[in-house]
């Protein structure tokens, strides 16, 4: 029944779904509670202190949720209204034959971004199982798509990532998820420490792939999405710690292009019990000259590290 209801939403016009989602987002934000406090606190960390911005961010979070059925079950329609003026970034990286690691923050419509990328070739993405068994049939149904393969966020999934990259294919993951089981470092993110995953950095250094940050900007009035790309300059930083910091800085650059569409309510600054000790000193502000330069808004592999399981031949 739930699957039927969700799939029925996909038949509605995109502008209706996003509009209703924005209304729901504003209604949820109107009630005092942890959601509103976290959204405001995280946005203020990044310098977005305006109440009007907070309301807009809440509205865009609602639009993100309600547009998902359309993206999942009317993918061809959605691809038809998705565009990018930066496709050469992807084409150049794939032509190098080294494989590509796409990093997609909780920004815009990351579900649409993954589907758009499959037009360039096979894409393996990493997912975390849903916390509710009632959602499993919905998620499983939505994953079925040509050139898109989902693997679990565990050692098996990491091995599949390595295999795909060695074949010269592309893989994708969310770089701003809070890592689990002690795998992470406290690194600056919008001026405060956030527990940052090192998996993406270790994969890139092990396999010598191109690293591209990407996000799908939601266009107004249901007109679709614009895909943004930001490739990390090479040579990449030589250590996982330095590369993870560079990824955080690149994420900040990408998010500032359309900041209201970032998921500020995500608990990015949580302190898990199994995390390393929280730093005593405040984070050092990065040197602007070392930051990843934003591209204009127009429409030899490293040694194998023992902490990433090798792929079987």
């Amino acid at each position: 029944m739930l699957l039927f209801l969700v799939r029925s939403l996909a038949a509605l016009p995109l502008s209706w779904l996003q509009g209703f989602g924005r209304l729901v987002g504003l209604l949820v934000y109107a009630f005092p509670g942890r959601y509103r406090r976290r959204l405001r606190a995280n946005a203020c960390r990044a310098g977005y202190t305006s109440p009007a911005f907070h309301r807009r961010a809440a509205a865009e979070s609602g639009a993100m949720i309600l547009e998902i059925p359309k993206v999942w079950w009317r993918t061809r329609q959605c691809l038809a209204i998705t565009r990018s003026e930066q496709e050469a970034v992807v084409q150049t990286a794939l032509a190098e034959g080294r494989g590509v690691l796409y990093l997609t923050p909780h920004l815009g419509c990351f579900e649409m971004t993954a589907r758009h990328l499959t037009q360039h070739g096979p894409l393996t993405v990493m997912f975390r199982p849903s916390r509710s068994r009632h959602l499993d049939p919905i998620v499983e149904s939505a994953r079925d798509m040509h050139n898109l393969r989902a693997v679990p966020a565990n050692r098996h999934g990491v091995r599949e990532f390595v295999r795909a990259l060695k074949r010269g294919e592309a893989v994708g993951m969310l770089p701003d998820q809070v890592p689990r089981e002690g795998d992470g470092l406290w690194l600056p993110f919008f001026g405060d420490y956030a527990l940052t995953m090192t998996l993406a950095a270790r994969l890139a250094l092990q396999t010598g792939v191109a690293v591209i940050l990407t996000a799908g900007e939601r266009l107004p009035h249901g007109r679709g999405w614009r895909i943004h790309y930001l490739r990390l300059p090479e040579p990449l930083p030589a250590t996982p710690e330095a590369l993870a910091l560079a990824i955080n800085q690149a994420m900040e650059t990408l998010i500032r292009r359309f900041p209201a569409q970032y998921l500020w309510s995500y608990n990015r600054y949580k302190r898990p019990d199994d995390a390393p000790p929280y730093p005593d000193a405040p984070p050092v502000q990065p040197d602007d000259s070392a930051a990843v330069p934003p591209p204009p808004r127009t429409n030899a592999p490293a040694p194998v590290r023992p902490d990433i399981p090798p792929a079987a031949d």
Side-chain angles (χ1 to χ4, degrees), residues 181-256:
E181 300 176 358
D183 177 23
L185 298 171
W186 293 109
L187 295 175
F189 184 65
F190 282 119
D192 205 348
Y193 285 116
L195 189 61
T196 302
M197 69 162 62
T198 59
L199 174 59
R202 290 184 284 123
L203 276 170
L205 293 177
Q206 173 182 329
T207 58
V209 298
V211 180
I212 298 177
L213 282 86
T214 179
E217 178 186 7
R218 185 176 305 106
L219 301 178
H221 310 300
R223 294 203 298 263
W225 300 268
R226 178 188 293 115
I227 306 299
H228 296 252
Y229 300 108
L230 177 56
R231 181 171 178 175
L232 292 190
E234 297 181 16
L236 297 174
T239 66
E241 296 80 7
L243 182 50
L245 176 59
I247 290 171
N248 273 5
Q249 293 172 358
M251 272 196 291
E252 292 183 19
T253 298
L254 192 60
I255 291 167
R256 290 198 187 279

Side-chain angles (χ1 to χ4, degrees), residues 1 6 27 41 58 62 74 81 99 130 135 146 153 158 181 198 252 256 263 267 273 276 284 286-287 297:
M1 176 61 72
V6 175
L27 289 174
R74 295 291 190 275
I81 54 175
S130 61
L135 297 177
H146 176 65
V158 174
E181 300 176 358
T198 59
E252 292 183 19
R256 290 198 187 279
L263 193 63
N267 196 4
D273 294 335
V284 177
D287 181 2
R297 180 160 181 169

